[in-house]
Amino acid sequence: MTSQLLPVTSGQTDAQGFEVVAWPGGKPHYEGEPVVAQVTTGQGKRNLHLEVNQMGEYPRVQVAPQESVNIKLQFQTSKTGMPVALTAQDGGTLAGAKVSQRVVLDDQRSVFFDFAASANVGTHRVTIATPAGEVKTLDFWVGEPNTMRTTAQR
């Protein structure tokens, strides 16, 4: 049995051709600046359009051990040149084998960076923090999806 890669997409694409990942109950309200993440996986060859939920978290993306992904964050209202702090929280690295990195918004209010997951199975979060104190979190899952099984399923 082949498992479905996470996240499951909506069947729609954005203007750049990225598969839109829709939240099951509709788009959650977010108090802060909505930042769209466009994630391109290496081995999975998926192009995903992700939006934050009310907690500033993006949908989980399943990746292979040591897989590299390219990420574009599109800010909506922040000014060009604003610094953004990136941190690999649970393993994996950013460009140059670093666990943290400072990037700045370009003329289109975007930042681009790469993330490489570790060989360890489990969650690999990358936090994105702005000078205003807003924190958003990308969540990459290495390995097969973590499914719960109850004793009733024996």
Side-chain angles (χ1 to χ4, degrees):
M1 178 169 119
T2 304
S3 65
Q4 172 88 27
L5 287 177
L6 297 175
V8 176
T9 58
S10 65
Q12 301 174 335
T13 57
D14 67 11
Q16 290 81 37
F18 282 71
E19 298 175 73
V20 175
V21 177
W23 290 98
K27 186 176 178 181
H29 175 72
Y30 182 69
E31 289 289 331
E33 179 178 7
V35 177
V36 171
Q38 289 180 321
V39 176
T40 301
T41 66
Q43 295 174 5
K45 303 287 189 233
R46 297 180 80 194
N47 295 313
L48 302 169
H49 172 109
L50 309 174
E51 296 185 23
V52 295
N53 66 10
Q54 64 274 18
M55 301 298 291
E57 299 166 339
Y58 294 93
R60 177 172 277 177
V61 176
Q62 186 177 356
V63 295
Q66 299 180 312
E67 182 173 354
S68 292
V69 295
N70 305 106
I71 300 146
K72 173 187 176 186
L73 298 175
Q74 182 63 59
F75 288 73
Q76 306 302 309
T77 59
S78 291
K79 296 190 183 330
T80 296
M82 180 185 78
V84 177
L86 307 171
T87 307
Q89 297 289 324
D90 309 297
T93 57
L94 301 165
K98 297 178 184 176
V99 295
S100 64
Q101 180 179 6
R102 178 186 180 270
V103 294
V104 296
L105 297 187
D106 66 13
D107 292 342
Q108 285 74 47
R109 297 189 304 246
S110 299
V111 295
F112 298 84
F113 66 97
D114 296 330
F115 173 74
S118 75
N120 298 326
V121 172
T123 193
H124 290 66
R125 294 173 295 169
V126 176
T127 57
I128 300 114
T130 67
E134 281 194 52
V135 177
K136 294 169 182 58
T137 305
L138 288 162
D139 182 5
F140 299 99
W141 180 265
V142 174
E144 289 297 314
N146 186 12
T147 56
M148 302 282 291
R149 191 180 104 177
T150 66
T151 55
Q153 293 174 318
R154 286 187 191 181

